[in-house]
Every structure is written in C-alpha cells, then in structure tokens.
Amino acid sequence: MSTSTNKGIRFWGIIALFLTSVFLSACGGSDGDAGSLTVYSGRSETLVGPLIDRFKEDTGIDVSVKYAGTPQLAATLLEEGDNTSADVFFAQDPGGLGAVAGMLSPLEEDVLTKVPQWAVSSDGVWVGVSGRARTVVYNTDTLAPDDLPDDLEGFTDPKWKGRLGWAPTNASFQTMVTAMRSIWGDQRTVQWLENIQANDPKVYPKNTPIISAAASGEIDVGLVNHYYLHRFLAEQGDSFSARNYHPPAGGPGAIVMVSGVGILEESNNKDNAQQFIDYLLSDISQKYFVEETYEYPLASGIPVAEGVSPLSEINNPDLSSSALSDLEGTQALLREAGIIP
Amino acid sequence: MSIGEVAAARLRSLSGGRGTPPAIIWVPALFVGAVLLLPLIYLVVRTFDAGGDIWDLLFRQRIGTILLRTILLVVTVTGASILLAVPIAWLTTRTDLPLRRVWVVLSALPLVIPSYVAGFIVIAALGPRGMLQQTLDGPFGVDRLPDIHGFVGALLTLTFLSFPYVVLTVRAALLRIDPALEESSRILGRGNWTTFFSVTLPMLRPGIAAGGLLVALYTLSDFGAVSLLRYETFTWAIFIQYESALDRTLGAGMSLSLVILALAIVGLELFSRGRARYYSSTTSISRPPSTIRLGRWKCPALAFCAIVVAMSLVAPMSVLVYWVVRGISAGEPFNLVWTAVGNSVYVAALAATAAVIAALPVAALSVRYPGVFSGFLERLSYIGFALPGIAIALSLVFFGARYAPPLYQTTGLLLLAYVVLYLSPALGAVRTSLLQISPRIEEAARGLGNSPLRAFSSVTLPVARPGLMAGWALVFLLVMKELPATLILSPIGFNTLATSIWSNASEAFFARAALPALLLIAASAVPLAFLMLRERR
C-alpha cells in the first residue's frame, strides 16, 4: 500500500511540476523598452540571420525575429489583424507582401527612390531589397546553351516531351505566369500552359528538387529561380552538372522579382522599423545579399557574385510591381487549366 | 440544485446511464473538449464567411480524384505498417529474440525523421538517377531506375516513417495481456502459431486498431513526403491553398472536408473495436509471460528486424551522414545549435506530459463511462491529429491574438497546439491500457474506503503505466519533429531542431540541414531508450 501511495504522490508531483513550468515559461520574456523591433521574416534564418545579427550589433536595437515561410507568415498576419506584434514584414516574394498590403503603412519617398521603379509596390507600402531572376536550369552533360530556345515559347516544341521540370504551385512560378499574362495576354498564356502540359512536364513542389533533378539527369531542363544553383555549386563543387540559362529573347522567362519589406500600420516602433529598412538598403546589406545569397543588389552599384550573370546580361522586361500583382487571377487560370488543385 | 449537480445529471443521461463520472474526470474532460473544438470553430468561421463560389471550388472533379488517391494511400500504408509492426512487437515482448530492447528503440526511432527530410532522402537515394542507380551503374550498367515518384515512393516512405506507431501500441497491449490466457491455450495443446492467431491476435485488436488509426490519420495529414514524392493527396491540396496566402477560405473549406474523411476512418476503428471485453478477472502485472523459444526461427526473426531497421533508420541516417561529410569536405560552415536541441527536448517533454495528462480524464471517461459525450470527445481528438498542422496553428493564432493576447506567442499556447495535434496518440495508448484493467479492481479499492481519486492514482495508474509511457513516448517523438505549428506559434526567436532543419533544407543547404536532423534522431533516442530500458519485463 505504501509503495502505491508513493506512486500516487509522484504522479501528482509531476503534474504540479508541469503546471509550474508552463506558468513560468508563460511569464518569461517581456521587454517593452524603446529600443526593440519585431520582424516577421519569410526569408529563412540561414539566409538573413547573420545580417540581422549585424544590424543588432550596429544599432543596439533589440531585434526579435519570427522565421517561417512567407505565405504562412502572411496568413498569420491576416489572422492576427490589429493585434499583431510585428513591426516589419520581410517577405521572400511580392505575393506575400501584396496579400497583407492593407495592413502596411506607406513608406517615405526617399526610401522608395533608392531602388529602381519596378522594385517597389505601386501604392508605396513595400520596397524591394534584393532581386532574384527567373531562369532555366539545364543539365550540362546532355545540353549546351546553344541547344536551348531563345524564350519560353520554345519549350512547347515536342522535342522537349518528358524532359522539362516545373513547380506550378510555387510562388515564384506563379509570379512568372502573372508576368506572362501582362506581356502575352491571357489567351496566349493559357495556350502556352496547355502546350507545356501536352509535353508531360515533371511536377516538383519547389525549386530545389528541380535543380537536383536537372543535375542528376532525371530531367534535362527546369524552370527555376537563379540563386539556388549557386548554393548547390558551393556545397558540391563545380562538377555539379547543372547551370543556369537566361533566355536571350527575354520575356516572362527572364523577369527579375524582388524580396521586399514593409512596415505594419499597427507598429509602435516605426522609427526602428525605418532604420531596419534603411539598413537593408545600405551597402553592407546589399553586399551581403550579393555574397551570401547570390541575389541581385537593388540599391547600389555593387557587382554580382562570381558566376552569377549580371543584370545587364539578363533581358529583364522591367515590369512594374502592379503588372505582377494579380496573383489571384493567375491562380484561377492555373486551376482552370488543371495545373493546380 | 447547483450548476455542478445539473451538469452531472446531464452527463449521467448522456453517458448511457452507467453511473455518474466523478467531477475529477468530467470537469477536465469538458475543458479538453472545449480546447479541441477551437480549430473546428475557426474552420467553420473561415469557410462560411466566404461567398457562395467556395462550394463550386470544393465540389470539383479534381477534388474527387484527389480524394480517391488519398484513400488508396491511407489504406495501403496502414496495411503495410501493420504487417511490419505486429511481428516486431510480438518478437520483442514474447520471445527470446536477442537484443529485444535494442530492436524496440531502433524500430521506434524512424518516427522522429521529419517526413520532408525522408522525402528528400528517398529521392536522393532511390530516384531515377539517385545514389542507388549510381552504385548500380558501374558494375551492372543500370542507366536509370524506374521512377520512385508517385504512389510507390509515397507508400514506401510513409510506411517506414509510421509503422512504429503500431509497434508502440501493440507492444503496450502485449505487455498488458494476461499471459494466463496464452498459457492455457498452450496447455490445452495448441502450438505457438495457433495460440498467436487464435488467442493473442484477437486480444491485440484494440492495440492494432489504435496504432493503425494513427498511421491512417498521419498519412492523411502528411504534407512533406507526398509533396516531394509528387503524390497528390487531400492535405497536399490544402497546403497548396494556404501556400497562396491570399485565400484562406478554400483551405479552410477543404480542411473541413478532411475532417469528414477523418471521422469516417475513426468510425471504422470504433467499429473494429467491437463490444468485446479485453481485461481478465485478475491483475497479474507482476507475473511476466513465459518466453517462447524461437529455436531455428531465431535467424529469420533477427533478419526480419534487421531489414526493417536498416531500411527505416540506418539507410536514411547514412544519407544524412553522407551529406554532412560532403558538406564538411566542401568547407561548409556548421554552427552547432545546442539551444535548438535544448528547446526541442524541453517543449517535447512538456507537451508529452501535457498530452498524457489531458488524455487521462478522456480515456477514463471513454473506458468507464462510455456514452455520447465520451464518444464525441474521442472523435474530436482524432480530428486534431488528422488536420494539417497549419490549420490548427492558424486557428490558435485567430483565438490567441484576439482573445488571449497575454498567452499568444508563449510556450503555453504552443503546448496547447501540441495537445490539440497529438492528444489522440496519447489517448490511444492510455485508453488501450485502461481497457485491460478490470473495473472490479478499482471498485475493490473504493470498497476499501478509498476516494475515487485515490483509487485511481494508487491502483489504476501504476497498472496503466506501460500505456502511459507509450503514449508519452509517442507524443514526445511527434513534437520533436513538428514543424508548421512550431513555426507559427512558438515564442518569437524560439528555435527548435525541426525549425533549423527546415530553415536549411528549404534553402538547399543539405549538409547544414543534415546535422540537426542527425541531432534530432540522437536527442530523441536518449529518452526513448531510457523509457524502454526501465520497462518491466
């Protein structure tokens, strides 16, 4: 009897201990002093963590960052509404910023003019901080750049049957289709999508598996963003058998998209948020994006990283952000074509 | 009449008139039920504040096709998992198989491999031009393997990830079965095989059903593996809706449809439980079952366990080690993330304890006072497990940010999310073990003048211990790898191993993702091994 009583005591002891630790953890951490900033970052900690640490050191501002996917954070912000604790939303793509545009406050003119016109939102609530180009990744064992078509239209040729990979559920891909609709019109876009579908493209969930597949020869070409390749090259060396190809005729296959940042209307730390954005557009950060994430600098004349094609060699159609904003229309179109669920 | 008495009377009428559950059971159970309802309320709110065109989007042929594909995958993964798991559970509890406890720990560990990591590994290893093909290319000139993407790849990956659910629940059941029944069967002249099929297996039905249900619901809710292996399921479609960020209504509507599918699966499990009685008249916890000598079957049995462990654990870990080594030789920077290890173990242990505590009143209600209310609670708990983590997370953002700002973005709310997500694995294990305890024992304790609470904690709880521990271990492993809710709900700046794996893998830093993945497996193995080694034999 006494051992079972001990067990009973132990059980309730565990419960008490548990409740205490939950209580303690719920009470911890509250600093509301002037020098703080809360960032929701849709860009991963691996990529931007070191840069944010440097900002903390340089300014003394106590930055807390919530890292998650851009769409998840956008959905979170929309659910939080006015109760959000975020001061800044740092998003991977314009789509995420566009989804919460109604919650962002207008930025000052001198911030917006630091970058090219096409890299800011048309209503002035977010600004692009780095550029990422759409590109074609190809297997270097089976193909040379000369074998590749001048623009995306070329991939509708039956000779590409079963050889192309794409990621139609990916935000960047959908932005490219939005660009396509702006440049080509809906009818030609649908025609292109149908022709590619007829060529049995391999469907991937996102960019990175496409690049792996192109390098292993599982596919010969894939539609991706430019910078992932450079991470594979850094990890696996130059023998990695895939490279980027920028269609020389330009068009939707050569657009440059941005990752961007905006300030929440409800923020109580707008000055610090402003400092953060200035910092992201400063030479230090722009250089960081070039060297660490292989992206394009938007705010200064820093040369791109080794191996990355400079913007001047890409035939970017320079679409304004409003031309890329109708993501909803693009999704309806892709759904109708049976490409996304 | 006080409010409590009214509520008790109401509960009595709902619980089929088998007496009134004491307040210590129904009050916490009611609270757990209220928490479990939150995601459903949220989904209904989000679905119905949309216009009418959501119904056109929901009832499309494409959705029907996806539904059928989902059912096919759920059925096959569940069947394959049971076939792998029951032999392992039986061999490690009833026979003289060498290194029994080692096999138990090793066969439970695949559970901690996040499914998006498993997806990457399967493609890298078994893809048309993957590592296996590279190995076969030289000696055999194999130019290209059949494509692993699609149904076969998804079946393989999810089976090897989720068969441990069945191992754990069936083992817990085996440890609680009164060995006298099996011994009587043998004394009456039946062989080991016949005894297994005619006595042991029928007794294991609740354990198999509980584990199978978890496998089925896990398969239903998985996104990582199916998206990478390109097999379109319902949850895949839901995530795609949330990925687009603009439209949370279609995601919510599809999640509600998923709830209906999950309820159908749960209904099947309840049906398979039947009305049988699974406890024996005595409690013989201190008497170990007699050990069956494997004899000439020892080698095949060992080979079976070894093959399963090699495929589900050794192979994926080798790929991870290979990535780390390749990264180191390419000069990749590694920052060891010890705070992430600490955070992961800390929240997983707290969440596992919370889930078991929350499961106790619900299980007690369902076993001792079965009725409308207990059935409702049980079904609710499975909904949390079947729904995509993102839907649960957003529902708690909705309620937390709006109505409980002090709790929002604290460990407290994160734990609440884990309990909603993983109450059912805990409940399954706790329930199975309570089922095997005769109510007479508790009644005897109460007859000797103990209060219900005291009878419960001094008699029932010690007997139910293997089940509680199995439940705790399951939830611990699940929380260790949980990603969507952790990302969205954790306190700002809170890193876990799962989030650092994700952060690196999503940016194609495989080497840097592989290291926390290995740490995740190692950190999960320690408490698991501790639990298993302390287990009474």
Side-chain angles (χ1 to χ4, degrees), chain A residues 257-279:
Chain A
M257 303 164 302
V258 297
S259 76
V261 61
I263 300 176
L264 274 296
E265 188 69 72
E266 293 298 319
S267 165
N268 297 322
N269 298 310
K270 289 216 173 78
D271 287 346
N272 289 346
Q274 187 63 51
Q275 270 199 60
F276 182 66
I277 295 185
D278 287 339
Y279 195 85

Side-chain angles (χ1 to χ4, degrees), chain B residues 127-153:
Chain B
R129 303 289 295 263
M131 295 170 183
L132 183 62
Q133 181 270 331
Q134 304 289 332
T135 322
L136 297 177
D137 197 9
F140 304 105
V142 178
D143 174 49
R144 185 176 274 263
L145 290 176
D147 203 342
I148 192 78
H149 295 94
F151 176 69
V152 176

Side-chain angles (χ1 to χ4, degrees), chain B residues 264-298:
Chain B
I265 296 174
V266 173
L268 272 181
E269 194 256 359
L270 291 181
F271 176 75
S272 82
R273 268 185 210 168
R275 294 179 167 277
R277 195 170 61 98
Y278 294 98
Y279 51 82
S280 79
S281 50
T282 57
T283 160
S284 45
I285 46 164
S286 49
R287 202 164 63 84
S290 57
T291 303
I292 294 167
R293 299 191 158 279
L294 284 172
R296 65 198 162 91
W297 288 98
K298 195 173 273 178

